[in-house]
Amino acid sequence: MAANEPGGRSARKHQAIMEAATAVFMAKGYAGTSMDDIAKLAAVSKQTVYKHFADKEKLFAEIVLATTDRVDAMIDLVAGIPTDAGALEENLLRLARQFLTALTQPQVLQLRRLIIANADTFPDLGAAWYEQGFERVLATLAATFQRLADQDLLRIDDPLLAANHFSGMLLWIPVNKAMFHGGPQHTQAELDHYADEGVRVFLAAYR
């Protein structure tokens, strides 16, 4: 459909509303956000917002679940570790640095905080975001570790637990600091250090 046709305009407005809602929810939280705020930032009428989304809850759910699509690139990254014994540490280190950098981006941390803050109000939404997002990454990482174990590159009895150990060592410090301080508290050099040490400890336990 051409961009100048009604359907094209509708799609652009839908996207504008989604982007505006994401910005406002992250800035003001769910309770502090109104449909008026979203309409103003999206440069549309409040009636237009309601035409696309029946209520604030449905809009919130859509912007949260839309972010799980971004996980696909992370899954491709995790699944792509080659079974090269000579380069195992190098490959895991590259993965760790990219994994850590991606999951500590300011918008990712903001979204995580927003979902956690509303987990009691929308438990199903929080569970869906976790299951369709981070849990998929962990499952892929577990399958990758099992593949490496099958090639005798790692010694792993519980691949999913190993995946949690790997990600936990990388994310524990920077993510917890960000959650309590309200934003990223790390430098890239610190992230690289967490990645280096995480891989070193992981291999000491599992190689």
Side-chain angles (χ1 to χ4, degrees):
M1 180 175 289
N4 62 350
E5 291 181 359
R9 290 197 298 272
S10 178
R12 289 197 302 274
K13 286 183 179 180
H14 189 93
Q15 184 60 32
I17 294 166
M18 290 275 288
E19 292 174 359
T22 300
V24 178
F25 279 130
M26 287 187 176
K28 296 186 174 183
Y30 179 82
T33 294
S34 71
M35 296 296 251
D36 285 316
D37 295 330
I38 295 167
K40 183 178 180 180
L41 186 59
V44 299
S45 68
K46 187 163 70 170
Q47 289 74 17
T48 298
V49 176
Y50 279 112
K51 181 179 178 181
H52 286 263
F53 300 95
D55 54 41
K56 187 171 76 166
E57 181 177 341
K58 286 183 173 57
L59 176 51
F60 182 63
E62 183 158 340
I63 68 164
V64 167
L65 295 179
T67 64
T68 61
D69 292 342
R70 303 174 193 169
V71 171
D72 292 344
M74 181 62 65
I75 286 176
D76 290 342
L77 175 68
V78 168
I81 302 175
T83 53
D84 181 349
L88 177 62
E89 185 169 358
E90 178 186 345
N91 290 331
L92 286 179
L93 181 57
R94 185 181 305 110
L95 168 66
R97 289 191 174 194
Q98 292 175 301
F99 186 85
L100 191 49
T101 298
L103 293 178
T104 55
Q105 291 298 309
Q107 189 176 43
V108 174
L109 293 171
Q110 282 181 304
L111 181 65
R112 180 189 180 97
R113 190 181 305 108
L114 180 64
I115 293 168
I116 291 171
N118 293 281
D120 288 338
T121 306
F122 306 115
D124 291 343
L125 179 60
W129 185 80
Y130 181 79
E131 291 163 6
Q132 296 175 32
F134 194 54
E135 195 166 62
R136 286 173 57 209
V137 175
L138 288 174
T140 304
L141 187 57
T144 296
F145 285 163
Q146 182 62 64
R147 176 167 54 83
L148 294 174
D150 291 342
Q151 297 294 320
D152 294 325
L153 299 181
L154 295 175
R155 295 181 296 105
I156 291 177
D157 295 324
D158 186 337
L160 185 57
L161 183 59
N164 276 278
H165 286 162
F166 183 83
S167 60
M169 285 189 292
L170 299 180
L171 297 171
W172 177 262
I173 296 174
V175 169
N176 274 309
K177 277 188 175 182
M179 291 300 101
F180 286 104
H181 285 84
Q185 302 295 307
H186 52 261
T187 65
Q188 187 60 50
E190 287 172 330
L191 291 183
D192 290 345
H193 178 65
Y194 299 147
D196 293 351
E197 288 302 298
V199 169
R200 182 183 66 79
V201 173
F202 180 81
L203 287 176
Y206 285 106
R207 183 157 61 179

